[in-house]
Amino acid sequence: MAHLGEELAFLKTQALSLRDLPVTLPNDYQPALEDIPKRVLPFPVALPPHNPKAPSSRVSPPTGISIVVKSTKPSLSFPLTVNSTDTIAQIKELLAKEHPRAPPANIQRLLLKGKVLSDNKLLKEYPIASSIATPTIITLMTKPGSTWTGEEKSATTAPVESAIVTTEPESFAQPSPTRLPPPAHARHARSLSGQADSMPLPSLTLSPTPSPEGTAAGGASEMKLDMDLNLLPDPPRGRTPKAEAFHQVITDPDFWTRLLEFLSKEFKTPEDATTAWEEFFLASKSHLTPHEIAKIRDVTGVVAMAGL
């Protein structure tokens, strides 16, 4: 009997080890017909007879829910009747539409028990009481940076004074001074930036000089004031000789090869030398074209880091 127990334990151990081994089947494996599961054929099912007196299973339309939106600054209350399937964004628009003293919908923040209500969620997703006798209180706040005084919004009308045009009698009307066109050199003058100015040169208007008889010698006259704005020469076009020499050196791949060799001698590891070379190269990229950048990297053999 002792040997039988040991054999049973051995067989059990072998069975468990075989169970955990993966089964590998060839690609052209096909199970035997008796191993293929049988397909269950559908069969007709008799439907229950129609009972016209049975209660309808239609979903009843959503019922109205009374809520009160309150604000602390200023202290106002806005009662609303909404549906449980309304979104918070729709409730904000309804509040701004039905109550003239409510803030616009885009600056409203609605809170329920200190939790902000999300615009894209439905009202029924929050613990709102459906009882009309005890409406749910929702706190109203405005978004940071927005102003709301609680005053009633009204249509803005232009002041009456702006429509009144005051005219002076003809005997007291002053003749308007005649403006002369600016001289040709003033119209084509250039500013310090090298671009043509769109504004004409300023003019100087003098008050009329009284005559000895006490009458004005004439109306207001305009004195032309010649001003030369070409104080500085136009900026040079293209690169200066110094900038051209700098550009020739910075675009030369041999310069970057010599720089990499120098940094490799100064630093202990090639990674540190390459990092220092990249710092110099990134600082000079504003003076290089994409073609020149690719050529320098191809000659030096330094691969771009993170697509730089």
Side-chain angles (χ1 to χ4, degrees), residues 84 86-87 112 115 120-128:
S84 59
D86 292 342
T87 61
L112 179 63
K115 182 179 180 181
N120 55 357
K121 287 192 175 182
L122 303 179
L123 184 64
K124 64 181 181 181
E125 299 182 32
Y126 296 98
I128 303 294

Side-chain angles (χ1 to χ4, degrees), residues 2 5 14-16 31 60 92 96 134 153 169 201 251 256 259 295 301:
Q14 290 295 328
L16 293 176
S60 59
K92 291 181 179 180
T134 56
K153 297 187 289 289
L201 289 178
T251 56
W256 295 101
L259 178 61
K295 183 178 180 181

Side-chain angles (χ1 to χ4, degrees), residues 42-298:
F43 56 93
V45 177
L47 298 176
H50 176 66
N51 186 8
K53 297 183 180 180
S56 177
S57 59
R58 295 180 180 178
V59 178
S60 59
T63 58
I65 298 176
S66 297
I67 61 174
V68 177
V69 182
K70 288 188 176 182
S71 63
T72 55
K73 293 182 181 180
S75 180
L76 297 174
S77 298
F78 306 105
L80 284 178
T81 301
V82 296
N83 296 325
S84 59
T85 56
D86 292 342
T87 61
I88 303 301
Q90 294 175 345
I91 295 175
K92 291 181 179 180
E93 296 177 357
L94 182 64
L95 175 62
K97 181 180 180 181
E98 292 192 358
H99 297 280
R101 302 186 64 181
N106 57 346
I107 66 172
Q108 295 181 19
R109 292 185 66 211
L110 301 182
L111 294 87
L112 179 63
K113 298 179 181 179
K115 182 179 180 181
V116 179
L117 305 184
S118 180
D119 290 346
N120 55 357
K121 287 192 175 182
L122 303 179
L123 184 64
K124 64 181 181 181
E125 299 182 32
Y126 296 98
I128 303 294
S130 59
S131 176
I132 301 179
T134 56
T136 303
I137 306 299
I138 296 180
T139 306
L140 171 64
M141 297 181 65
T142 57
K143 295 182 180 180
S146 58
T147 57
W148 171 56
T149 58
E151 298 179 356
E152 185 174 355
K153 297 187 289 289
S154 59
T156 57
T157 57
V160 181
E161 292 79 1
S162 61
I164 300 176
V165 179
T166 59
T167 59
E168 296 183 358
E170 295 182 0
S171 59
F172 297 98
Q174 295 289 340
S176 59
T178 304
R179 293 188 176 274
L180 300 177
H185 71 277
R187 290 197 300 268
H188 298 284
R190 288 183 173 270
S191 63
L192 300 181
S193 60
Q195 299 179 354
D197 294 331
S198 59
M199 298 296 293
L201 289 178
S203 60
L204 179 63
T205 304
L206 302 178
S207 60
T209 305
S211 63
E213 290 78 8
T215 59
S221 62
E222 186 176 85
M223 178 181 292
K224 294 183 294 182
L225 182 61
D226 295 336
M227 299 178 63
D228 188 7
L229 296 182
N230 296 327
L231 302 179
L232 296 176
D234 291 344
R237 307 300 179 183
R239 296 192 183 97
T240 61
K242 293 184 178 180
E244 186 66 29
F246 170 79
H247 187 262
Q248 290 180 358
V249 174
I250 208 71
T251 56
D252 187 7
D254 294 336
F255 165 75
W256 295 101
T257 304
R258 294 193 302 270
L259 178 61
L260 182 60
E261 294 175 356
F262 169 75
L263 295 175
S264 300
K265 296 177 182 179
E266 295 295 326
F267 290 93
K268 296 181 180 180
T269 60
E271 291 78 8
D272 294 342
T274 305
T275 303
W277 186 91
E278 283 287 350
E279 294 293 334
F280 283 105
F281 188 67
L282 293 179
S284 305
K285 284 188 66 176
S286 59
H287 304 283
L288 302 173
T289 63
H291 174 71
E292 294 169 346
I293 293 174
K295 183 178 180 181
I296 292 172
R297 288 194 179 276
D298 186 34

